[in-house]
Amino acid sequence: MADAKAQKRQKFEGVYPILRDELLAYMKQEGMPEDAISWYKRNLDYNVPGGKLNRGISVVDSVEILKGRKLSDDEYFKSALLGWCIELLQAFFLVSDDMMDQSVTRRGQPCWYRVEGVSYIAINDSFMLEGAIYYLLKKHFRSESYYVHLLELFHDTTFQTELGQLIDLITAPEDHVDLSKFSLAKHQKIVIYKTAYYSFYLPVALAMYMCGIPHTSSNDPYELAQSILIPLGEYFQVQDDFLDFAAPPEVLGKIGTDIIDNKCSWCINTALALATPAQRKILDENYGRKDAEAEKRIKALYEEMGIRQKYAEYEEAAYKRIMGLIQTIPEQPSGEGVSLKREVFKVFLDKIYKRQK
């Protein structure tokens, strides 16, 4: 199993240098100076390929499931290209997010803006990561009937993610704790806009367009997919928030910092909804403080308030609800063409249900 996963990743990674070299060739063709070309190469190599690549690979997986067969070399390349466009989008968000948050490390190395000689140039570098998406889409998809749908999807999703980021930034600034701004409703809004659209809906919708699934005036398959993937993305982020508090660092692979960083997390919002006045006072006095003892007091209060149990209840309810939504997808009609398949969504759900990291 792990071997197949590693092979799949390796094959996907094999497409990256081809796309990077196309971007660099374009710069050369435009007569850009060598130092600008090598700067862009370093920007791309540093920021794009290093993550888990889940979003990108899920485009390929979804296309395979929808087509119900192994992909031709051209189909693989095009679906992987769309996957790498999501990874470029992710890199654009992360490079700029890290500056906004004044973060120190990302994926186990210094954040790009903290690399010697980069600093504020990273702002323009992030724009260039975003620009790469549209260069590649135009080069490889301009003649496809669904080209404009791809453009709209990337533009809409990008704007939605930025809206989510705005709400997050003004709700939970790291240097100013005000828990009265927090609520589960606001948490849900942030999560849906900042994470669910680009991490869950975008990869599947790209795969659907590539497979030629059409929009319909009633029971539109894209609306159906969105109605399942947005709750799925919400569940994923709630789980992420819970693991930040509850998973041991050696399992999680990083040290959770949501409490110290004043994050608008599911845990604090659940605690706020349940807190007695005395408990609320402890939350107000200790949340978002750069102080290990304050963090310990919050964690002890979470335990005392039964946040683990609340999460277990949330997880079961979310799983049942999402499974119920998946069952509303009609089983394969024997008609022409590719149509939506339950399997696409089950694969996502199975990857995240009861995960430990």
Side-chain angles (χ1 to χ4, degrees):
M1 175 64 212
D3 192 41
K5 196 177 168 188
Q7 275 180 315
K8 188 188 281 187
R9 186 190 163 103
Q10 227 176 345
K11 186 175 183 189
F12 182 73
E13 284 175 327
V15 175
Y16 168 75
I18 301 170
L19 304 178
R20 177 199 61 206
D21 292 348
E22 287 181 5
L23 291 160
L24 300 177
Y26 167 68
M27 288 183 78
K28 270 201 182 66
Q29 180 200 312
E30 294 295 307
M32 296 293 159
E34 272 310 317
D35 55 354
I37 296 170
S38 63
W39 184 285
Y40 194 32
K41 178 180 190 294
R42 191 165 67 121
N43 172 15
L44 289 161
D45 289 344
Y46 196 92
N47 295 302
V48 181
K52 296 192 283 288
L53 308 181
N54 290 337
R55 294 168 184 84
I57 292 169
S58 63
V59 178
V60 180
D61 288 348
S62 299
V63 171
E64 277 203 315
I65 293 166
L66 290 169
K67 286 194 181 282
R69 58 170 172 79
K70 233 173 113 38
L71 304 182
S72 70
D73 287 349
D74 183 60
E75 287 168 338
Y76 182 85
F77 179 76
K78 290 187 100 157
S79 58
L81 186 152
L82 292 174
W84 279 110
C85 284
I86 306 184
E87 296 297 330
L88 282 161
L89 184 67
Q90 161 94 331
F92 157 55
F93 291 148
L94 300 185
V95 168
S96 44
D97 270 16
D98 286 342
M99 297 187 80
M100 290 178 243
D101 297 341
Q102 289 293 292
S103 299
V104 177
T105 60
R106 158 83 60 192
R107 296 169 176 168
Q109 57 182 12
C111 297
W112 177 240
Y113 80 97
R114 297 189 57 114
V115 170
E116 183 67 38
V118 177
S119 187
Y120 286 112
I121 300 173
I123 298 172
N124 191 63
D125 287 337
S126 79
F127 300 165
M128 290 181 68
L129 294 169
E130 186 192 26
I133 296 166
Y134 300 100
Y135 174 81
L136 293 168
L137 290 177
K138 183 174 174 181
K139 182 168 188 226
H140 294 276
F141 291 93
R142 197 170 182 283
S143 63
E144 303 289 347
S145 58
Y146 53 85
Y147 177 57
V148 81
H149 286 296
L150 299 181
L151 294 181
E152 283 188 354
L153 197 50
F154 272 102
H155 282 128
D156 293 350
T157 307
T158 301
F159 194 35
Q160 282 163 321
T161 307
E162 290 159 353
L163 290 170
Q165 172 73 344
L166 173 65
I167 310 167
D168 196 20
L169 289 167
I170 63 178
T171 301
E174 211 178 314
D175 52 353
H176 182 74
V177 184
D178 179 3
L179 298 184
S180 70
K181 287 184 173 168
F182 286 18
S183 70
L184 279 165
K186 195 168 276 187
H187 174 264
Q188 182 185 45
K189 202 70 164 169
I190 293 168
V191 162
I192 288 173
Y193 280 82
K194 189 179 168 177
T195 303
Y197 279 111
Y198 96 92
S199 301
F200 289 86
Y201 177 62
L202 178 60
V204 174
L206 289 171
M208 288 167 67
Y209 283 124
M210 209 187 118
C211 292
I213 295 177
H215 282 277
T216 54
S217 52
S218 66
N219 297 331
D220 181 47
Y222 293 85
E223 281 178 25
L224 180 55
Q226 189 168 309
S227 73
I228 298 166
L229 291 160
I230 297 308
L232 195 72
E234 195 188 330
Y235 163 42
F236 170 84
Q237 189 59 53
V238 168
Q239 189 178 44
D240 220 56
D241 289 356
F242 175 71
L243 291 172
D244 186 276
F245 148 63
E250 61 277 10
V251 176
L252 194 59
K254 60 181 180 188
I255 293 164
T257 58
D258 285 1
I259 295 169
I260 282 176
D261 291 345
N262 190 37
K263 288 279 173 34
C264 185
S265 149
W266 180 84
C267 301
I268 182 66
N269 283 295
T270 300
L272 287 167
L274 298 168
T276 63
Q279 290 170 326
R280 173 60 189 253
K281 189 168 186 289
I282 296 171
L283 293 171
D284 281 325
E285 288 169 4
N286 294 281
Y287 198 74
R289 312 284 161 193
K290 303 267 175 271
D291 164 14
E293 287 309 309
E295 183 187 31
K296 276 202 187 101
R297 288 191 280 274
I298 297 286
K299 286 194 165 190
L301 187 55
Y302 283 176
E303 299 292 4
E304 188 190 313
M305 293 175 85
I307 296 293
R308 282 174 196 271
Q309 183 53 37
K310 285 274 168 236
Y311 176 73
E313 289 162 17
Y314 170 88
E315 177 157 64
E316 283 319 300
Y319 184 83
K320 285 202 177 86
R321 177 166 153 248
I322 294 160
M323 263 316 214
L325 289 167
I326 293 172
Q327 304 307 326
T328 68
I329 298 173
E331 284 293 4
Q332 282 307 92
S334 54
E336 283 300 294
V338 174
S339 63
L340 211 47
K341 289 199 177 95
R342 294 179 184 185
E343 175 73 7
V344 170
F345 305 94
K346 285 186 178 150
V347 165
F348 270 96
L349 187 53
D350 290 340
K351 271 190 195 141
I352 61 180
Y353 183 56
K354 298 255 156 121
R355 75 189 167 103
Q356 299 298 307
K357 58 177 184 159

